[in-house]
Amino acid sequence: MAKLSTSRQKALMRKYARNVKFLMMLMSICLIVFFLPKQAKFSYEYEKGRIWNQKDLVSPYNFAILKTPQEIDNEKKTAYESITPVYQLDAAAGDQQIEGFKTDLEIKWHNAGINDKLKSKYIDAGVALLTNLYNIGILKLNDKYLRHANNYPITILNKNVATEKNTNALFTKESALAYCDKVLSKRTDIDRAFMLDLLQNRIQNNLSYDDNLTTRLEKEVYDGLSITRGMVQKGEVIVYKGSIINDDVYQKLESYKKAFENNARVNGNHVLVLLGQFLLVSIAISLLMIFLYLFRKDIYADNRLVGLILLVITAMLATLSAAIKFQFPVNLYYIPYCIVPIIIRILFDTRLALNIHLLVVLIAGFFVPNSFEFAYYEITAGMVSIYSIKNLIRREQFLVSAGIIVFTYFVAFLGISFIREGTFLEIDWMDFLPFVVSVLLTLLAYPMIYIFEKIFSLTSDITLIELTNTNAPLLRELAFTAPGTFQHSLQVANLAENAIYSIGGNALLVRAGALYHDIGKMENPLFFIENQSSGFNPHDKLPYEESAQVIIRHVSKGIEMARKANLPEVIIDFIRTHHGNTRVDYFYQSSLKNFPEKFINENIFRYPGPIPFSKEAGVLMLADSVEAASRSLKEPDEESISVLVDRIVKYKLDQNQLKDSNITLKDIETIKEIFKRMLMSIYHVRIDY
């Protein structure tokens, strides 16, 4: 089979990009629908303590009123306390121990130094004590049944004959030995210590706890407990309009909801339920695609990025569906919903993150209990998570963001609890624990962002933070090899960052681009004036065309160095575009002036381009040109700096270098004002007031 060339593969990918996009959308919709719980949606939202504002709710069929979990637990506890543990009697144990006692006495008697005439008396006394102990019964107390008392009732089985007793009427090994000690202490004709030594080895339990039988009895009792308390008849009003949803009404509504879902599961049309879910999810995913098409065409055109977004959405909804289906964890708020907007915000932008979060919550709201409450919690927390990392410049912002999210959850939790309970004292603070766990799990966004970056070749603000560290290997090499260029790059970074911050854009991205835009000058640093300190200029010995090519080559060399250092493509774009397709005018004009009769090929003196195609790249081009030109001012003052900035910006506009960069005329004026103010500060120009 013939192998397709790389160019042919790319052509095919472009040709079928739209089909691939629709296929990914369909797969995502089908996977989400597959994972969603297949149950009909109950039509009513209600909360305990609120007013029923809808019409009278009449039961369409008979259904049983379910007991509350608390009622069931109380009944189980009562039933558990009514169960007496079963002990099996070992009838032969007493005779065996009595015979053992006699044998022990025979063995130890010769060394006891006691008159042989008393031997029968010792035997009779020991046998009497042991007989009495085993007739009453000896057992080990079970901590499980002691509860709040020292004793508990038990059932003793002897050959399937049951006898009810209390452990206070029986012996333990300790109390049996104490009993023997008490009896023997009253007899002066018997050596008490000798007898106790013999007896303590023969006091053994003849009543043993039967765990299997007791557990079976408990299970029978539990199974016999009813989970319902009464019935609601068909046609009976469950709740009247305008009435308060008290505990009794709330339990009727819960029971009706359960009966409705069970009835829909048995009698409902599963195909229609599936179709309804498919339609709802399709609308949500389609709205997302429309948003991308209208407002983020760059993402919409890149199936790799679309695939990442659909993967994140599908994974989150699949996790939620699994939690609902398997009821683990029991509380759905353990799931870190805010991880989705954080990941999308870091990898893309704020608008897209908010849009996706709203769609995820809307879909989830159809299948979680108390959907309004759920939506309020998650939409507010998601919005806070997005706003709190609007400008990510430090890693600790993740922790700060987590703290703000927890606080938001807490305030919302208090508000909803006050509405529901009407009192501060009745709030169950353990219900807030799932929110704390959820926020802690949200911190997993950090390693997940790193994974997504590597898999999908993206550049997040976190990576940009690392790249702007001047101790990064490439910047450290630039500072050592071309210190003048390094200082120039720092000044350009400051100018561009302040400008883009004022007109709107990614300040971190433009700073990173500015720091790396001239790394290609490391190949021949002395050919660039900022690195010439001795007065020697190597261009004096070169033709103008060759000098121009040396200068122009720093762009292609910079791209080569950046790729070798694995810099992201978004940074390489700054290297590629920071001169656009302008001319190296100094050498071009010098060539025209000194060789007027010679035909000059202008393309030799022109950068290869392309021109900037983003706002950040356009600002960097202006900052680079203005900063470089400002170094030529012999006596910089307010007027000369203002004229310089206006001239440089006008030249770039006349050369159509900014037509693709999405910079408005208003932005241009703002940029010029910032450049003038900062350059005057750099050159310590005193402003006349």
Side-chain angles (χ1 to χ4, degrees), residues 292-293 330 375 543 628:
L292 294 176
Y293 179 77
V330 176

Side-chain angles (χ1 to χ4, degrees), residues 315-329:
M316 174 51 70
L317 290 173
T319 302
L320 173 63
S321 300
I324 295 174
K325 182 177 180 181
F326 299 109
Q327 297 184 346
F328 181 83

